[in-house]
Amino acid sequence: MSSSHFQLSLPDWVQPYVASLPEQIQDVSARMQVAIALARYNVDNGTGGPFGAAIFEQNSGRLAAAGMNLVVGKHCSLAHAEMVAIMMAQSALKTHDLGRAAGAPYQLVSSTEPCAMCLGAIPWSGVQSLVCGANDADARAVGFDEGEKPSDWQGGYQRRGIAVECGVCGEDAARVLRDYAASGGEIYNSGA
């Protein structure tokens, strides 16, 4: 068995993009545009799939971490945009529980509704708010397998104290998915 290990590092284009952002982003639509831009840059730079996510300090609007889909390039099925953003935020804040971290509460902004895997991980991350752009049907329409999700996942989150808002800049986010598929981007885990 090899002694290699998974190392999470973001593509080179991420830091300059993040550095160009305002220090605080108050508007939820503007936060979503960050997640969508992460997805778009990821595709345009050939560094991953058409999904982006960002974690913000909910009240101040400060960006805590950026994430993008790195599944194919990192050879890791766990490296979805939401999971990458969560891992980067927890690492930067030196905690496994964002609900107890300085700057809490935290908000996860994702360019697309979470798949089944991310849906299960988000509550354990400690974020207290989730904002989504494109919906599950948009991801499935281009061929991604989103897994089996409870029909009332939003209600389940709300019962756990996690606020959910979906459809924010949904058409902009869905366009990234469609453009990726139309350009021949790899649709992994498609069930095919």
Side-chain angles (χ1 to χ4, degrees), residues 7 16 62 73 78 98 101-102 109 135 141 150 157 161 178:
Q7 183 172 349
R62 286 188 175 90
L78 302 176
L98 297 175
V109 180
N135 62 40
Y157 269 24
R178 290 191 303 269

Side-chain angles (χ1 to χ4, degrees), residues 4 71 76 84 130 182 187:
S4 65
V71 169
C76 181
V84 170
L130 171 65
I187 308 292

Side-chain angles (χ1 to χ4, degrees), residues 58-80:
Q58 189 166 317
N59 296 330
S60 74
R62 286 188 175 90
L63 178 67
M68 64 290 312
N69 180 282
L70 301 173
V71 169
V72 174
K74 293 289 185 180
H75 312 289
C76 181
S77 62
L78 302 176
H80 288 201

Side-chain angles (χ1 to χ4, degrees), residues 115-117 119 140 145-151:
C115 69
M117 175 182 68
L119 190 69
R140 291 180 193 273
D145 180 355
E146 296 297 280
E148 297 295 322
K149 295 167 40 174
S151 60

Side-chain angles (χ1 to χ4, degrees), residues 93-130:
L93 296 167
K94 299 184 182 347
T95 181
H96 66 280
D97 184 355
L98 297 175
R100 297 175 190 258
Y106 284 91
Q107 178 178 70
L108 173 61
V109 180
S110 180
S111 66
T112 305
E113 285 182 17
C115 69
M117 175 182 68
C118 296
L119 190 69
I122 289 168
W124 291 328
S125 73
V127 299
Q128 295 174 334
S129 173
L130 171 65

